[in-house]
Amino acid sequence: MDIGVLTVPLGGESRPDAFEYLSGIGVEAVELGVGGYPGQDHTDREALLADEDAREALRAELDEHGLRVSAFATHNNPLHPDDETAAAADHELRQAVELADEFGVDTVTCFSGLPAGGPNDEVPNWITAPWPTEHAEAEAYQWEVAEDYWSDLAAHADHHGVDLAIELHPNMLVYEPHGMLRLREATNERVGANFDPSHLYWQGIDVTEAIRVLGEHDAIHHVHAKDTKVYESQSREKGVLDTTDYDDSENRSWLFRSVGYGHGEGHWKDVVSTLRMVGYDGALSIEHEDALTSSREGMEKAVDLLKRARFETTPGDAYWAE
């Protein structure tokens, strides 16, 4: 596994400066935003698609700093009930797949999206319980919408030889491992997970068990290295479905944290080991969203811990069992 970074926090810096900094702290792979919520500060999707010289310039900058692209990222909602919003997200996502193919990158990271609760609704609707029964009916409608859309997109991705790595994210239709496997079963094997443990921790999901569940189906296409801390004094009072503003840190029941600040180094070594058990050998892409420290410090501390947690050699024969 190599250590990567989603470069969004460095969006205010030029691409060469961002690459130089990341290489200097020991990063080996970059996940580059090409649309949606990550934006495209370092990667103009349409310019790269249209211009081989632009692609060569990016390749040269990566080579100069010893970096590779682990994925192109466009996190958005292609299932949005507003047709214009959905069409824009779909356009970005399809172009991201085409760019990945042109550039020789095998993964696009994204969200599943979230439909409305019915054909006449105007806003997405995250269903968290099957009762009252109209909620179960709404979820059934959402899955019909999602399976139709993602079957077509998965065929597009397969045509281009690119994996779609969906981040399991609350407020999206796919937010936990079984939903991920349901969508994969309904589409094809190009559809898998961008495994981000931070969203699983606060839902109460056991992260290493989730890795085993998805790994059994070869359904982990990419990994985000991002932590979460649940603050028991707040969660005991209001649970973890907390709508408190992210910048009101002291009153939230949970916060995204830098790697090692929600769960200790021993836990992260277990995460890395379990990923190896299920055959994952891609990037550990650090996504910094810690409100308690700067982007640079958070990334640097994450790199430092992950260097100790990962293995750099392949296993030898189990001579002790012979």
Side-chain angles (χ1 to χ4, degrees):
M1 296 175 211
D2 45 14
I3 296 173
V5 161
L6 175 60
T7 66
V8 172
L10 303 175
E13 304 180 21
S14 71
R15 194 169 70 196
D17 286 349
F19 286 0
E20 181 177 8
Y21 164 70
L22 292 172
S23 177
I25 65 171
V27 171
E28 298 144 329
V30 286
E31 182 183 356
L32 298 173
V34 296
Y37 290 108
Q40 49 180 349
D41 290 325
H42 295 139
T43 323
D44 186 322
R45 181 187 69 254
E46 293 188 336
L48 285 168
L49 268 174
D51 187 353
E52 174 60 26
D53 289 341
R55 295 195 293 273
E56 283 302 317
L58 175 55
R59 289 190 185 98
E61 291 172 17
L62 291 162
D63 290 344
E64 179 183 353
H65 295 99
L67 298 169
R68 74 174 183 91
V69 178
S70 67
F72 289 127
T74 174
H75 306 156
N76 214 326
N77 186 0
L79 306 181
H80 199 286
D82 178 76
D83 290 342
E84 186 175 339
T85 301
D90 174 65
H91 178 70
E92 290 174 343
L93 189 46
R94 289 176 187 274
Q95 282 198 332
V97 168
E98 293 159 14
L99 177 60
D101 185 10
E102 287 283 351
F103 205 79
V105 171
D106 60 10
T107 306
V108 167
T109 55
C110 53
F111 290 148
S112 67
L114 182 66
N120 299 316
D121 291 355
E122 296 182 354
V123 295
N125 190 338
W126 186 37
I127 306 298
T128 59
W131 187 90
T133 54
E134 58 262 34
H135 294 277
E137 293 166 2
E139 187 187 28
Y141 164 80
Q142 290 179 325
W143 274 100
E144 289 178 9
V145 172
E147 290 176 9
D148 180 62
Y149 173 80
W150 278 95
S151 293
D152 186 63
L153 187 66
H156 178 69
D158 191 47
H159 174 74
H160 287 279
V162 173
D163 288 337
L164 297 163
I166 294 173
E167 188 170 334
L168 311 183
H169 198 295
N171 281 322
M172 295 291 162
L173 183 63
V174 172
Y175 59 92
E176 47 77 34
H178 292 275
M180 177 74 263
L181 294 176
R182 176 177 177 177
L183 189 62
R184 182 177 171 88
E185 178 66 23
T187 55
N188 65 31
E189 293 184 355
R190 290 293 179 185
V191 174
N194 178 22
F195 189 86
D196 185 333
S198 69
H199 303 291
L200 306 186
Y201 291 130
W202 67 265
Q203 293 183 73
I205 296 171
D206 186 294
V207 164
T208 54
E209 288 300 316
I211 292 171
R212 289 176 181 270
V213 167
L214 293 169
E216 182 180 350
H217 298 272
D218 296 322
I220 299 177
H221 292 332
H222 195 260
V223 171
H224 272 175
K226 180 177 159 194
D227 214 337
T228 292
K229 173 70 174 178
V230 175
Y231 294 93
E232 298 293 341
S233 58
Q234 282 78 21
S235 66
R236 280 196 298 268
E237 294 178 359
K238 57 181 177 179
V240 295
L241 296 178
D242 190 354
T243 58
T244 305
D245 288 344
Y246 282 102
D247 59 4
D248 188 7
S249 302
E250 64 185 278
N251 292 311
R252 282 189 55 79
S253 58
W254 59 268
L255 290 174
F256 294 132
R257 297 304 318 275
S258 304
V259 173
Y261 283 80
H263 297 78
E265 185 168 325
H267 170 80
W268 278 95
K269 288 179 176 177
D270 197 16
V271 168
V272 170
S273 296
T274 309
L275 286 167
R276 171 167 278 208
M277 284 180 190
V278 302
Y280 181 78
D281 62 359
L284 303 169
S285 187
I286 297 161
E287 183 182 25
H288 175 85
E289 292 182 347
D290 189 338
L292 301 183
T293 188
S294 68
S295 297
R296 287 198 172 209
E297 183 176 24
M299 288 188 289
E300 289 167 14
K301 289 184 181 298
V303 169
D304 181 58
L305 188 150
L306 292 173
K307 281 182 178 178
R308 294 193 299 275
R310 71 164 178 188
F311 296 101
E312 298 187 8
T313 60
T314 57
D317 294 333
Y319 61 85
W320 57 89
E322 295 175 355

